[in-house]
Amino acid sequence: MISLQRRALALGALLACGLASGLALAQTQTPVRLLVGFPPGGGTDAIARTLAERLQPLLGTTVIVENRAGAGGQIAAQALKAAAPDGHTFFVTHDHTISVLPQVVKNPGFDPARDFVPVAGFATFANALAVSGSTPAQTFTEYVAWVKAQGGKSSVGIPAPASTPEFTVKLVADKYHLDLQPVPYRGSAPMLADMLGSQIAAGIGSVPDFIENQKAGKLRIVAVVGDKRQTLLPNVPTFSELGLSGLEDMPYYGVFAPAGTPQPVIDRFSDALAKVLAQPEVLERFVGLGLAVQYMPQRSFAAREKAYTQAWTRIIKTSGFQPQ
């Protein structure tokens, strides 16, 4: 009888130790970081936070958004390069940092082809030209006329220097014989703040950056990139419709990991991302932000990124821009 009691007590102690160890392990489990190269409040940040919330139960661990803002995503990209390839760090980004920045900066501190591995893509989106609420123009044609009435000169905000928005400003200026000066910001949030405060008459950024203020009537989107009009903006023409060619290719959103990340880890994250995108609430949220949700597994996303990079490399070289 005593022996049975001792065995029961010993078993209970072992179970208690096991439970305590399990709890300790769960509490110290390394979280997954989603790096974002822009400050809180912008479109990319909102997208990443939605993904983090929904990925957490699927990955079985805490998922946090870590903003490493500055230099058009360059700081976040460098942080990704420095991260261990252990499946605990991923980079949620759009086209600029991966496809454009290495073409316009002499020493960006990373090489996407060598230092990163594409995990999956999850959306495309349109960049757009928007005018602030204090600007009288209601359409793109009226905006061009308004700039000419100002002596042909005006400033246009862009979320990062040497970005596709900056090259779009140059294309618009050349096409319509305007003196448009791009004003670079550290992300879309401060650019929007100046547009809403009437500190700057217009800006070029992504539809996700502009859409909420467009709906609220605080600014007006007057032209979009792409080969067709946006579902959320059926009355807004594409640049192609306005006679400006070369802006038909849509930018992308995707996830990258440090080079050397094991393939099973990449596959697990990619599968979880696909499940998140299939959730009606997420789909509705992203469509409402102006995204065309499209899950792209690793191979097709890598091909998409390569083609987009090549297209903008041609535009940048044609512009005569010299890497800084």
Side-chain angles (χ1 to χ4, degrees), residues 258-316:
T261 300
Q263 191 62 42
V265 171
I266 292 171
D267 292 342
R268 181 169 179 259
F269 189 99
S270 181
D271 290 346
L273 180 61
K275 291 176 182 177
V276 168
L277 297 176
Q279 296 175 10
E281 299 88 349
V282 174
L283 181 61
E284 181 180 3
R285 167 67 171 154
F286 283 178
V287 169
L289 286 172
L291 298 181
V293 178
Q294 179 187 3
Y295 170 68
M296 293 170 274
Q298 186 180 37
R299 183 172 296 181
S300 62
F301 177 50
R304 176 77 179 79
E305 182 271 319
K306 182 177 180 181
Y308 187 89
T309 298
Q310 291 173 344
W312 274 95
T313 298
R314 289 192 294 270
I315 292 174
I316 293 166

Side-chain angles (χ1 to χ4, degrees), residues 9 12 19 121 137 139 187 247-248 253 272 286 302 317:
L9 289 172
L19 179 60
T139 66
L247 296 173
E248 293 77 25
Y253 264 107
F286 283 178
K317 287 184 176 179

Side-chain angles (χ1 to χ4, degrees), residues 191-221:
M191 179 185 75
L192 278 169
D194 274 3
M195 289 181 68
L196 296 175
S198 299
Q199 300 300 308
I200 194 163
I204 294 182
S206 71
V207 170
D209 288 332
F210 291 141
I211 194 64
E212 294 302 327
N213 286 299
Q214 159 86 6
K215 293 175 182 176
K218 297 179 179 179
L219 54 75
R220 293 178 296 281
I221 297 174

Side-chain angles (χ1 to χ4, degrees), residues 56-104:
Q56 191 160 290
L58 295 173
L59 296 177
T61 188
T62 302
V63 181
I64 60 174
V65 172
E66 186 172 310
N67 298 88
R68 294 290 189 94
Q74 186 175 350
I75 295 172
Q78 291 172 351
L80 183 71
K81 176 184 176 181
D86 56 7
H88 291 116
T89 306
F90 295 89
F91 185 25
V92 177
T93 185
H94 53 56
D95 60 292
H96 175 71
T97 309
I98 301 298
S99 296
V100 177
L101 199 148
Q103 317 298 326
V104 299

